[in-house]
Amino acid sequence: MSKRNPIPIGLISIAVIAGVLALAFRADSLPLIGSGTQYQAQFSEAAGLSQGNEVRIAGVKVGKVTDVSLQGRHVLVKFRAKDADIGNASSASIQIKTLLGEKYLALDPAGDRPLDPNTPIPLQRTLAPYDVVQAFNQLSDTVG
């Protein structure tokens, strides 16, 4: 025991540290401390919402957007929400977070039963904002 080879001990230590760092960077996807249940919502347009944007209820961050994809004639937004009571009559809207145009998904929980994670919030209960940058671009085209 008094004569240990430092090379295997060093290699094992580096491997353990690399594994801990990898888990730390992927903590949201771990089963015990993950980022909550995945839900879906249908929107008429993405309005600048992208993967990684925040999900908020009453201004409190409860999760993040995991995917934004085109599905037929609407946009399907998948998001995760942790420790949130999202009911079967909940509504969702895309809101502007900063003056630079960063967006977030705002949820208004409602309903008497929990929302089924496999059933998206329908188009009738979602709202996409009017994009000011796009409006100014259209204005400059019209004036030009």
Side-chain angles (χ1 to χ4, degrees):
M1 280 290 207
S2 63
K3 294 185 179 184
R4 292 186 185 160
N5 191 353
I7 293 175
I9 293 173
L11 292 175
I12 292 171
S13 299
I14 290 172
V16 168
I17 290 171
V20 169
L21 285 175
L23 288 175
F25 282 112
R26 301 287 297 161
D28 285 347
S29 62
L30 293 175
L32 295 177
I33 58 171
S35 57
T37 307
Q38 180 161 315
Y39 297 100
Q40 306 172 41
Q42 299 173 342
F43 286 89
S44 59
E45 62 177 301
L49 190 71
S50 61
Q51 182 179 356
N53 287 138
E54 294 178 352
V55 176
R56 294 175 172 237
I57 295 177
V60 177
K61 181 181 174 187
V62 295
K64 68 179 179 178
V65 175
T66 58
D67 186 42
V68 178
S69 61
L70 187 61
Q71 189 176 56
R73 297 178 54 97
H74 63 271
V75 174
L76 183 66
V77 175
K78 294 180 181 179
F79 60 94
R80 291 194 176 272
K82 185 174 183 179
D83 299 330
D85 295 327
I86 301 173
N88 61 340
S90 297
S91 61
S93 63
I94 300 172
Q95 301 290 326
I96 298 171
K97 181 179 174 185
T98 66
L99 291 175
L100 298 175
E102 187 177 351
K103 306 289 194 314
Y104 70 93
L105 181 65
L107 297 176
D108 185 17
D112 55 354
R113 295 184 322 261
L115 178 66
D116 179 16
N118 298 320
T119 304
I121 298 173
L123 279 171
Q124 297 80 10
R125 294 198 315 259
T126 61
L127 179 66
Y130 190 71
D131 194 354
V132 176
V133 174
Q134 184 180 14
F136 280 127
N137 287 340
Q138 291 173 352
L139 176 64
S140 65
D141 291 342
T142 303
V143 172

